[in-house]
Amino acid sequence: MSEQFKQEFWNDRYRSHPHLWSGSPNLHLVAEAEGLTPGRALDAGAGEGADAIWLAGRGWKVTAVDISTVALERAAVNADQAGPEIAERISWCQGDLNDWEPSRRAYDLVSTQYLHVPLDARVVLIDRLASAVAPGGTLLIVGHHPSDLQTTMPRPHEPELFFTGDDVVGQLDPAEWDIVTNAAAGRTVTDPEGRSVTIHDTVLSARRHP
C-alpha cells in the first residue's frame, strides 16, 4: 500500500501544521445531518474532530475514528475546549479504516468526508460502512468528484481516488436503501495562484429502510 495511506504519513502531515483543517464542520455534513434526529453516529476519518464536535453539540453520541494518533490527540483537546458536555459525547478511536470493523447496524448516521482510498479498498470500505448503518439510519459519503482532476486546486494525482455518487449507489441494494442526495455539488474556492475556481464534491446520502 502507498505510504500516503499509512499511519505515519498522516502523523507526519498533522505534525507539519498546528491546524491542518479549518476547524469548522464539513458543509455537506451540516446540510445533510442538521435535520436528522440525534442518535449514535460514526465519524469515519475524524481528523481534528470538527465534524464529531459539531454532531456532539447537537446531541449525537459519536464514535470518531482516524488513522492518525496525532489528529486524535488534537481532536480530543478541541472537544475539551468545546465543553465537557460535548467531550463526553465523543469516543475517540484510533483505527485504519482499511481494516477497522464497525459494529453492524449500530449507527443512526455513518459519515465519511473526502474519502481517499484506492478503488478496491474503497469498495470494501463502503460495504463495511454501509453495514454499520442501523435500520432507518443514514449513510453519508463525500469525496472529490472526478471533474476535479482538471482543477488548478491541489489534488491527488491518482484518478482512482476520485468517484461519483453513482459509483456508491451501485454498491447499495435498492431493496434496502433510499437515495436522499446524489450530487456533484459545486463550490467556489481560491486556488494557490489566487484565482477563483469552481470545484465539485461528490455527495451521496442514503437512508436504510426501517
mmCIF file of all heavy atoms in Angstrom, residues 162-201:
data_model
loop_
_atom_site.group_PDB
_atom_site.id
_atom_site.type_symbol
_atom_site.label_atom_id
_atom_site.label_comp_id
_atom_site.label_asym_id
_atom_site.label_seq_id
_atom_site.Cartn_x
_atom_site.Cartn_y
_atom_site.Cartn_z
ATOM 1 N N PHE A 162 -10.828 9.330 -6.976
ATOM 2 C CA PHE A 162 -11.998 10.162 -7.214
ATOM 3 C C PHE A 162 -13.172 9.258 -7.603
ATOM 4 O O PHE A 162 -12.983 8.233 -8.262
ATOM 5 C CB PHE A 162 -11.724 11.167 -8.332
ATOM 6 C CG PHE A 162 -10.614 12.137 -8.018
ATOM 7 C CD1 PHE A 162 -9.285 11.733 -8.003
ATOM 8 C CD2 PHE A 162 -10.898 13.459 -7.737
ATOM 9 C CE1 PHE A 162 -8.254 12.620 -7.715
ATOM 10 C CE2 PHE A 162 -9.888 14.365 -7.458
ATOM 11 C CZ PHE A 162 -8.557 13.942 -7.440
ATOM 12 N N PHE A 163 -14.389 9.658 -7.236
ATOM 13 C CA PHE A 163 -15.543 8.816 -7.527
ATOM 14 C C PHE A 163 -16.806 9.661 -7.606
ATOM 15 O O PHE A 163 -16.838 10.806 -7.147
ATOM 16 C CB PHE A 163 -15.703 7.714 -6.470
ATOM 17 C CG PHE A 163 -15.863 8.230 -5.064
ATOM 18 C CD1 PHE A 163 -17.123 8.428 -4.512
ATOM 19 C CD2 PHE A 163 -14.744 8.520 -4.281
ATOM 20 C CE1 PHE A 163 -17.278 8.898 -3.225
ATOM 21 C CE2 PHE A 163 -14.887 8.995 -2.982
ATOM 22 C CZ PHE A 163 -16.163 9.187 -2.456
ATOM 23 N N THR A 164 -17.840 9.093 -8.193
ATOM 24 C CA THR A 164 -19.134 9.761 -8.306
ATOM 25 C C THR A 164 -20.129 9.135 -7.336
ATOM 26 O O THR A 164 -19.904 8.038 -6.801
ATOM 27 C CB THR A 164 -19.693 9.650 -9.729
ATOM 28 O OG1 THR A 164 -20.040 8.279 -9.981
ATOM 29 C CG2 THR A 164 -18.678 10.127 -10.765
ATOM 30 N N GLY A 165 -21.250 9.815 -7.158
ATOM 31 C CA GLY A 165 -22.306 9.240 -6.342
ATOM 32 C C GLY A 165 -22.834 7.949 -6.926
ATOM 33 O O GLY A 165 -23.184 7.006 -6.187
ATOM 34 N N ASP A 166 -22.900 7.872 -8.257
ATOM 35 C CA ASP A 166 -23.381 6.644 -8.895
ATOM 36 C C ASP A 166 -22.475 5.458 -8.578
ATOM 37 O O ASP A 166 -22.945 4.310 -8.513
ATOM 38 C CB ASP A 166 -23.485 6.835 -10.406
ATOM 39 C CG ASP A 166 -24.658 7.713 -10.808
ATOM 40 O OD1 ASP A 166 -25.559 7.928 -9.968
ATOM 41 O OD2 ASP A 166 -24.664 8.199 -11.956
ATOM 42 N N ASP A 167 -21.180 5.722 -8.415
ATOM 43 C CA ASP A 167 -20.269 4.640 -8.041
ATOM 44 C C ASP A 167 -20.677 4.036 -6.699
ATOM 45 O O ASP A 167 -20.602 2.815 -6.503
ATOM 46 C CB ASP A 167 -18.827 5.150 -7.948
ATOM 47 C CG ASP A 167 -18.258 5.556 -9.287
ATOM 48 O OD1 ASP A 167 -18.679 4.984 -10.313
ATOM 49 O OD2 ASP A 167 -17.395 6.460 -9.321
ATOM 50 N N VAL A 168 -21.105 4.891 -5.778
ATOM 51 C CA VAL A 168 -21.532 4.418 -4.460
ATOM 52 C C VAL A 168 -22.908 3.764 -4.545
ATOM 53 O O VAL A 168 -23.140 2.691 -3.967
ATOM 54 C CB VAL A 168 -21.549 5.576 -3.443
ATOM 55 C CG1 VAL A 168 -21.985 5.070 -2.068
ATOM 56 C CG2 VAL A 168 -20.181 6.243 -3.357
ATOM 57 N N VAL A 169 -23.811 4.402 -5.276
ATOM 58 C CA VAL A 169 -25.165 3.848 -5.415
ATOM 59 C C VAL A 169 -25.123 2.423 -5.944
ATOM 60 O O VAL A 169 -25.902 1.557 -5.533
ATOM 61 C CB VAL A 169 -26.024 4.745 -6.334
ATOM 62 C CG1 VAL A 169 -27.345 4.064 -6.680
ATOM 63 C CG2 VAL A 169 -26.288 6.084 -5.661
ATOM 64 N N GLY A 170 -24.174 2.160 -6.840
ATOM 65 C CA GLY A 170 -24.060 0.831 -7.415
ATOM 66 C C GLY A 170 -23.747 -0.248 -6.399
ATOM 67 O O GLY A 170 -23.930 -1.438 -6.682
ATOM 68 N N GLN A 171 -23.288 0.147 -5.228
ATOM 69 C CA GLN A 171 -22.985 -0.826 -4.178
ATOM 70 C C GLN A 171 -24.142 -1.021 -3.193
ATOM 71 O O GLN A 171 -24.065 -1.893 -2.321
ATOM 72 C CB GLN A 171 -21.751 -0.379 -3.387
ATOM 73 C CG GLN A 171 -20.468 -0.407 -4.170
ATOM 74 C CD GLN A 171 -19.265 -0.097 -3.294
ATOM 75 O OE1 GLN A 171 -18.466 0.764 -3.612
ATOM 76 N NE2 GLN A 171 -19.127 -0.805 -2.176
ATOM 77 N N LEU A 172 -25.185 -0.206 -3.299
ATOM 78 C CA LEU A 172 -26.277 -0.252 -2.333
ATOM 79 C C LEU A 172 -27.481 -0.972 -2.923
ATOM 80 O O LEU A 172 -27.944 -0.635 -4.013
ATOM 81 C CB LEU A 172 -26.666 1.167 -1.921
ATOM 82 C CG LEU A 172 -25.554 2.026 -1.304
ATOM 83 C CD1 LEU A 172 -26.087 3.420 -0.988
ATOM 84 C CD2 LEU A 172 -24.984 1.374 -0.058
ATOM 85 N N ASP A 173 -27.997 -1.932 -2.210
ATOM 86 C CA ASP A 173 -29.150 -2.708 -2.646
ATOM 87 C C ASP A 173 -30.398 -1.819 -2.602
ATOM 88 O O ASP A 173 -30.791 -1.347 -1.524
ATOM 89 C CB ASP A 173 -29.332 -3.905 -1.713
ATOM 90 C CG ASP A 173 -30.468 -4.830 -2.131
ATOM 91 O OD1 ASP A 173 -31.241 -4.454 -3.023
ATOM 92 O OD2 ASP A 173 -30.566 -5.928 -1.541
ATOM 93 N N PRO A 174 -31.046 -1.554 -3.741
ATOM 94 C CA PRO A 174 -32.228 -0.686 -3.743
ATOM 95 C C PRO A 174 -33.376 -1.242 -2.914
ATOM 96 O O PRO A 174 -34.289 -0.492 -2.552
ATOM 97 C CB PRO A 174 -32.594 -0.578 -5.223
ATOM 98 C CG PRO A 174 -31.956 -1.756 -5.875
ATOM 99 C CD PRO A 174 -30.705 -2.026 -5.103
ATOM 100 N N ALA A 175 -33.350 -2.521 -2.607
ATOM 101 C CA ALA A 175 -34.377 -3.094 -1.743
ATOM 102 C C ALA A 175 -34.172 -2.688 -0.291
ATOM 103 O O ALA A 175 -35.086 -2.833 0.527
ATOM 104 C CB ALA A 175 -34.383 -4.617 -1.861
ATOM 105 N N GLU A 176 -32.969 -2.183 0.030
ATOM 106 C CA GLU A 176 -32.652 -1.810 1.403
ATOM 107 C C GLU A 176 -32.442 -0.318 1.598
ATOM 108 O O GLU A 176 -32.479 0.161 2.741
ATOM 109 C CB GLU A 176 -31.376 -2.537 1.865
ATOM 110 C CG GLU A 176 -31.495 -4.031 1.970
ATOM 111 C CD GLU A 176 -30.241 -4.629 2.620
ATOM 112 O OE1 GLU A 176 -29.629 -3.974 3.478
ATOM 113 O OE2 GLU A 176 -29.885 -5.754 2.230
ATOM 114 N N TRP A 177 -32.243 0.439 0.512
ATOM 115 C CA TRP A 177 -31.830 1.831 0.642
ATOM 116 C C TRP A 177 -32.675 2.761 -0.228
ATOM 117 O O TRP A 177 -33.055 2.402 -1.338
ATOM 118 C CB TRP A 177 -30.362 1.990 0.206
ATOM 119 C CG TRP A 177 -29.382 1.266 1.067
ATOM 120 C CD1 TRP A 177 -28.940 -0.019 0.906
ATOM 121 C CD2 TRP A 177 -28.735 1.774 2.226
ATOM 122 N NE1 TRP A 177 -28.041 -0.335 1.890
ATOM 123 C CE2 TRP A 177 -27.893 0.750 2.722
ATOM 124 C CE3 TRP A 177 -28.749 3.015 2.887
ATOM 125 C CZ2 TRP A 177 -27.097 0.926 3.849
ATOM 126 C CZ3 TRP A 177 -27.951 3.190 4.013
ATOM 127 C CH2 TRP A 177 -27.140 2.154 4.481
ATOM 128 N N ASP A 178 -32.930 3.946 0.292
ATOM 129 C CA ASP A 178 -33.463 5.061 -0.488
ATOM 130 C C ASP A 178 -32.360 6.093 -0.653
ATOM 131 O O ASP A 178 -31.688 6.447 0.334
ATOM 132 C CB ASP A 178 -34.654 5.721 0.224
ATOM 133 C CG ASP A 178 -35.877 4.829 0.254
ATOM 134 O OD1 ASP A 178 -36.107 4.111 -0.726
ATOM 135 O OD2 ASP A 178 -36.592 4.847 1.277
ATOM 136 N N ILE A 179 -32.163 6.587 -1.860
ATOM 137 C CA ILE A 179 -31.160 7.611 -2.108
ATOM 138 C C ILE A 179 -31.773 8.975 -1.794
ATOM 139 O O ILE A 179 -32.788 9.351 -2.388
ATOM 140 C CB ILE A 179 -30.650 7.558 -3.561
ATOM 141 C CG1 ILE A 179 -30.130 6.147 -3.877
ATOM 142 C CG2 ILE A 179 -29.562 8.600 -3.774
ATOM 143 C CD1 ILE A 179 -29.063 5.627 -2.941
ATOM 144 N N VAL A 180 -31.162 9.699 -0.887
ATOM 145 C CA VAL A 180 -31.650 11.016 -0.483
ATOM 146 C C VAL A 180 -30.986 12.108 -1.308
ATOM 147 O O VAL A 180 -31.642 13.018 -1.811
ATOM 148 C CB VAL A 180 -31.400 11.252 1.024
ATOM 149 C CG1 VAL A 180 -31.860 12.650 1.439
ATOM 150 C CG2 VAL A 180 -32.108 10.183 1.856
ATOM 151 N N THR A 181 -29.665 12.024 -1.455
ATOM 152 C CA THR A 181 -28.899 13.006 -2.226
ATOM 153 C C THR A 181 -27.864 12.270 -3.059
ATOM 154 O O THR A 181 -27.160 11.391 -2.548
ATOM 155 C CB THR A 181 -28.181 14.012 -1.301
ATOM 156 O OG1 THR A 181 -29.128 14.678 -0.480
ATOM 157 C CG2 THR A 181 -27.399 15.040 -2.112
ATOM 158 N N ASN A 182 -27.786 12.628 -4.336
ATOM 159 C CA ASN A 182 -26.733 12.126 -5.220
ATOM 160 C C ASN A 182 -26.348 13.294 -6.108
ATOM 161 O O ASN A 182 -27.022 13.575 -7.097
ATOM 162 C CB ASN A 182 -27.214 10.937 -6.038
ATOM 163 C CG ASN A 182 -26.138 10.380 -6.964
ATOM 164 O OD1 ASN A 182 -25.008 10.886 -6.997
ATOM 165 N ND2 ASN A 182 -26.485 9.356 -7.729
ATOM 166 N N ALA A 183 -25.283 13.996 -5.734
ATOM 167 C CA ALA A 183 -24.975 15.260 -6.400
ATOM 168 C C ALA A 183 -23.479 15.438 -6.593
ATOM 169 O O ALA A 183 -22.665 14.899 -5.845
ATOM 170 C CB ALA A 183 -25.518 16.432 -5.572
ATOM 171 N N ALA A 184 -23.159 16.213 -7.626
ATOM 172 C CA ALA A 184 -21.814 16.771 -7.791
ATOM 173 C C ALA A 184 -21.946 18.237 -7.412
ATOM 174 O O ALA A 184 -22.285 19.083 -8.241
ATOM 175 C CB ALA A 184 -21.323 16.612 -9.221
ATOM 176 N N ALA A 185 -21.731 18.527 -6.141
ATOM 177 C CA ALA A 185 -22.027 19.851 -5.592
ATOM 178 C C ALA A 185 -20.864 20.801 -5.853
ATOM 179 O O ALA A 185 -19.733 20.559 -5.414
ATOM 180 C CB ALA A 185 -22.292 19.750 -4.091
ATOM 181 N N GLY A 186 -21.132 21.880 -6.570
ATOM 182 C CA GLY A 186 -20.093 22.849 -6.892
ATOM 183 C C GLY A 186 -19.933 23.904 -5.820
ATOM 184 O O GLY A 186 -20.897 24.284 -5.148
ATOM 185 N N ARG A 187 -18.714 24.368 -5.643
ATOM 186 C CA ARG A 187 -18.439 25.485 -4.735
ATOM 187 C C ARG A 187 -17.216 26.238 -5.255
ATOM 188 O O ARG A 187 -16.353 25.665 -5.935
ATOM 189 C CB ARG A 187 -18.230 25.029 -3.298
ATOM 190 C CG ARG A 187 -17.175 23.968 -3.085
ATOM 191 C CD ARG A 187 -17.247 23.390 -1.680
ATOM 192 N NE ARG A 187 -16.368 22.230 -1.519
ATOM 193 C CZ ARG A 187 -15.147 22.281 -0.989
ATOM 194 N NH1 ARG A 187 -14.643 23.444 -0.580
ATOM 195 N NH2 ARG A 187 -14.411 21.193 -0.869
ATOM 196 N N THR A 188 -17.170 27.519 -4.942
ATOM 197 C CA THR A 188 -16.089 28.373 -5.419
ATOM 198 C C THR A 188 -15.022 28.504 -4.345
ATOM 199 O O THR A 188 -15.321 28.784 -3.181
ATOM 200 C CB THR A 188 -16.626 29.768 -5.782
ATOM 201 O OG1 THR A 188 -17.627 29.627 -6.806
ATOM 202 C CG2 THR A 188 -15.511 30.658 -6.310
ATOM 203 N N VAL A 189 -13.780 28.289 -4.749
ATOM 204 C CA VAL A 189 -12.640 28.405 -3.839
ATOM 205 C C VAL A 189 -11.544 29.196 -4.554
ATOM 206 O O VAL A 189 -11.631 29.482 -5.748
ATOM 207 C CB VAL A 189 -12.113 27.013 -3.425
ATOM 208 C CG1 VAL A 189 -13.174 26.237 -2.655
ATOM 209 C CG2 VAL A 189 -11.663 26.222 -4.650
ATOM 210 N N THR A 190 -10.512 29.521 -3.791
ATOM 211 C CA THR A 190 -9.361 30.229 -4.355
ATOM 212 C C THR A 190 -8.188 29.278 -4.471
ATOM 213 O O THR A 190 -7.810 28.629 -3.487
ATOM 214 C CB THR A 190 -8.979 31.427 -3.464
ATOM 215 O OG1 THR A 190 -10.106 32.301 -3.340
ATOM 216 C CG2 THR A 190 -7.813 32.189 -4.064
ATOM 217 N N ASP A 191 -7.626 29.174 -5.668
ATOM 218 C CA ASP A 191 -6.519 28.240 -5.866
ATOM 219 C C ASP A 191 -5.211 28.857 -5.386
ATOM 220 O O ASP A 191 -5.175 30.035 -4.972
ATOM 221 C CB ASP A 191 -6.458 27.782 -7.327
ATOM 222 C CG ASP A 191 -5.899 28.833 -8.280
ATOM 223 O OD1 ASP A 191 -5.467 29.913 -7.839
ATOM 224 O OD2 ASP A 191 -5.895 28.555 -9.499
ATOM 225 N N PRO A 192 -4.111 28.095 -5.385
ATOM 226 C CA PRO A 192 -2.842 28.617 -4.862
ATOM 227 C C PRO A 192 -2.327 29.856 -5.582
ATOM 228 O O PRO A 192 -1.506 30.596 -5.021
ATOM 229 C CB PRO A 192 -1.877 27.428 -5.048
ATOM 230 C CG PRO A 192 -2.753 26.222 -4.993
ATOM 231 C CD PRO A 192 -4.016 26.644 -5.684
ATOM 232 N N GLU A 193 -2.801 30.119 -6.811
ATOM 233 C CA GLU A 193 -2.387 31.308 -7.552
ATOM 234 C C GLU A 193 -3.319 32.497 -7.315
ATOM 235 O O GLU A 193 -3.157 33.550 -7.947
ATOM 236 C CB GLU A 193 -2.322 30.989 -9.046
ATOM 237 C CG GLU A 193 -1.382 29.857 -9.399
ATOM 238 C CD GLU A 193 0.056 30.152 -8.989
ATOM 239 O OE1 GLU A 193 0.478 31.324 -9.127
ATOM 240 O OE2 GLU A 193 0.739 29.216 -8.517
ATOM 241 N N GLY A 194 -4.299 32.322 -6.420
ATOM 242 C CA GLY A 194 -5.210 33.411 -6.103
ATOM 243 C C GLY A 194 -6.391 33.544 -7.040
ATOM 244 O O GLY A 194 -7.133 34.533 -6.966
ATOM 245 N N ARG A 195 -6.611 32.545 -7.897
ATOM 246 C CA ARG A 195 -7.720 32.587 -8.840
ATOM 247 C C ARG A 195 -8.959 31.915 -8.256
ATOM 248 O O ARG A 195 -8.842 30.909 -7.546
ATOM 249 C CB ARG A 195 -7.325 31.880 -10.142
ATOM 250 C CG ARG A 195 -6.165 32.540 -10.880
ATOM 251 C CD ARG A 195 -5.611 31.654 -11.967
ATOM 252 N NE ARG A 195 -4.992 30.453 -11.406
ATOM 253 C CZ ARG A 195 -4.133 29.674 -12.071
ATOM 254 N NH1 ARG A 195 -3.821 29.957 -13.320
ATOM 255 N NH2 ARG A 195 -3.618 28.614 -11.495
ATOM 256 N N SER A 196 -10.135 32.440 -8.559
ATOM 257 C CA SER A 196 -11.387 31.807 -8.157
ATOM 258 C C SER A 196 -11.688 30.658 -9.111
ATOM 259 O O SER A 196 -11.714 30.851 -10.333
ATOM 260 C CB SER A 196 -12.536 32.814 -8.173
ATOM 261 O OG SER A 196 -12.372 33.773 -7.153
ATOM 262 N N VAL A 197 -11.904 29.480 -8.557
ATOM 263 C CA VAL A 197 -12.208 28.311 -9.371
ATOM 264 C C VAL A 197 -13.384 27.570 -8.746
ATOM 265 O O VAL A 197 -13.640 27.676 -7.545
ATOM 266 C CB VAL A 197 -10.996 27.358 -9.494
ATOM 267 C CG1 VAL A 197 -9.843 28.030 -10.212
ATOM 268 C CG2 VAL A 197 -10.552 26.869 -8.119
ATOM 269 N N THR A 198 -14.101 26.845 -9.582
ATOM 270 C CA THR A 198 -15.206 26.021 -9.100
ATOM 271 C C THR A 198 -14.748 24.575 -9.011
ATOM 272 O O THR A 198 -14.216 24.020 -9.985
ATOM 273 C CB THR A 198 -16.418 26.122 -10.036
ATOM 274 O OG1 THR A 198 -16.865 27.477 -10.084
ATOM 275 C CG2 THR A 198 -17.560 25.246 -9.534
ATOM 276 N N ILE A 199 -14.929 23.991 -7.841
ATOM 277 C CA ILE A 199 -14.627 22.577 -7.650
ATOM 278 C C ILE A 199 -15.932 21.860 -7.333
ATOM 279 O O ILE A 199 -16.950 22.487 -7.025
ATOM 280 C CB ILE A 199 -13.596 22.350 -6.532
ATOM 281 C CG1 ILE A 199 -14.117 22.891 -5.192
ATOM 282 C CG2 ILE A 199 -12.263 22.990 -6.905
ATOM 283 C CD1 ILE A 199 -13.194 22.577 -4.027
ATOM 284 N N HIS A 200 -15.910 20.541 -7.426
ATOM 285 C CA HIS A 200 -17.119 19.754 -7.208
ATOM 286 C C HIS A 200 -16.862 18.628 -6.215
ATOM 287 O O HIS A 200 -15.838 17.941 -6.300
ATOM 288 C CB HIS A 200 -17.631 19.176 -8.533
ATOM 289 C CG HIS A 200 -18.136 20.225 -9.471
ATOM 290 N ND1 HIS A 200 -17.292 20.912 -10.330
ATOM 291 C CD2 HIS A 200 -19.388 20.725 -9.666
ATOM 292 C CE1 HIS A 200 -18.008 21.785 -11.018
ATOM 293 N NE2 HIS A 200 -19.268 21.699 -10.632
ATOM 294 N N ASP A 201 -17.787 18.497 -5.290
ATOM 295 C CA ASP A 201 -17.755 17.419 -4.317
ATOM 296 C C ASP A 201 -18.817 16.385 -4.670
ATOM 297 O O ASP A 201 -19.959 16.739 -4.979
ATOM 298 C CB ASP A 201 -18.044 17.940 -2.905
ATOM 299 C CG ASP A 201 -17.048 18.982 -2.452
ATOM 300 O OD1 ASP A 201 -15.841 18.806 -2.748
ATOM 301 O OD2 ASP A 201 -17.460 19.954 -1.797
#
